[in-house]
Amino acid sequence: MFNLILFGPPGSGKGTQSEKLVEKYKLIHLSTGNLLREEIANRTPLGLEAKSFMDKGQLVPDEVVIGMIDSCLEHHKEAAGFLFDGFPRTAAQADALDKLLNLKKTEISLLLALDVTEQELVSRLLNRGKTSGRSDDTDEAVIRKRFSVYTNETSPVADYYKKARKFKSIHGEGSVDEINAALRQAIDKAMATHKN
Ligand code: AP5
């Protein structure tokens, strides 16, 4: 299996690039943000709980997202690999992911981190907020809160993968195609030496 994490702050292009990469490499796309928004749209108890955190720009509790990832991995036993988008976002999530993949006798192969300036991120998110219907994109204070959560709780997760020599930073500004080409180059290189 080849298991990839697409990492980066809110608005860095994880969702946009994931769609292209899963098609190219036949990976299963696991976006915790999308899964949570589906729960909200279906008005499930989990969705209602998650919405109260998401609307404020806070993280949903670890046990909720870890449970979602666990059941998705179970649903895709024959997958060639997974692309994790927006997960893991805390040290506890990274630890849980390792354990879940271990049970499947596999591991994370590579983490690609999209590097984008905060000014560009704010502009992308406010722009998307005009049409997306995402309540966390319309208020700049909530967007700033998401950045501070990312800095304090999520960015340290990268160190975990740096130590394991699985981390690669990718310049995340420019056209979607240019960034996609840089991501593909890094993935192809990692796949060429991939063992499990
Ligand atoms: P989530 O859905 O994961 O959102 P996010 O991380 O805030 O990321 P976004 O979807 O906003 O951005 P993206 O990096 O995917 O960029 P995109 O491609 O969309 O999480 C939402 C919330 O859910 C969290 O705040 C939290 O509450 C909760 N949550 C989710 N996962 C969780 C977890 N694991 N643990 C706890 N809580 C969790 O692009 C953004 C915009 O930019 C788009 O309009 C796009 O068209 C545009 N764009 C993309 N690329 C370019 C480019 N190259 N140039 C110009 N514009 C571009």
Side-chain angles (χ1 to χ4, degrees):
M1 285 176 102
F2 188 87
N3 301 305
L4 175 68
I5 297 173
L6 202 51
F7 196 76
S12 56
K14 303 182 295 293
T16 305
Q17 296 295 343
S18 292
E19 280 180 25
K20 291 177 168 286
L21 295 175
V22 291
E23 202 184 314
K24 159 100 179 123
Y25 295 101
K26 311 291 173 223
L27 302 174
I28 301 289
H29 183 195
L30 292 186
S31 157
T32 39
N34 287 350
L35 292 169
L36 290 166
R37 281 184 288 277
E38 267 170 38
E39 297 281 343
I40 293 172
N42 293 329
R43 298 175 187 275
T44 65
L46 190 156
L48 287 178
E49 189 198 352
K51 186 170 171 22
S52 64
F53 293 95
M54 292 165 78
D55 282 352
K56 288 185 261 180
Q58 296 168 347
L59 293 181
V60 173
D62 284 335
E63 59 273 21
V64 173
V65 284
I66 291 167
M68 283 188 336
I69 289 289
D70 189 8
S71 62
C72 284
L73 293 178
E74 276 304 300
H75 269 96
H76 295 284
K77 286 203 166 94
E78 308 304 323
F82 295 93
L83 190 167
F84 298 93
D85 161 7
F87 182 91
R89 255 175 153 96
T90 62
Q93 291 179 20
D95 207 37
L97 180 59
D98 264 2
K99 290 192 176 116
L100 290 173
L101 292 177
N102 237 315
L103 290 173
K104 297 188 164 300
K105 306 213 179 324
T106 184
E107 61 183 12
I108 290 298
S109 315
L110 179 66
L111 178 150
L112 294 174
L114 291 166
D115 186 19
V116 179
T117 60
E118 190 163 319
Q119 193 186 5
E120 167 74 8
L121 296 171
V122 175
S123 134
R124 285 186 191 177
L125 293 179
L126 285 174
N127 193 36
R128 183 175 63 186
K130 290 177 196 158
T131 52
S132 68
R134 272 182 63 166
S135 53
D136 56 349
D137 280 350
T138 40
D139 181 345
E140 192 167 337
V142 174
I143 292 175
R144 299 267 174 208
K145 172 69 185 170
R146 286 158 68 196
F147 292 154
S148 83
V149 167
Y150 177 79
T151 304
N152 297 326
E153 298 182 53
T154 303
S155 63
V157 171
D159 295 337
Y160 188 85
Y161 296 95
K162 278 180 191 162
K163 280 186 197 135
R165 298 175 159 270
K166 291 177 176 174
F167 175 95
K168 180 152 178 58
S169 175
I170 301 285
H171 183 57
E173 291 184 32
S175 75
V176 169
D177 286 345
E178 279 164 358
I179 298 162
N180 194 256
L183 291 167
R184 279 190 279 118
Q185 195 180 32
I187 294 169
D188 290 343
K189 193 172 166 202
M191 279 184 163
T193 54
H194 181 65
K195 292 189 190 71
N196 67 337

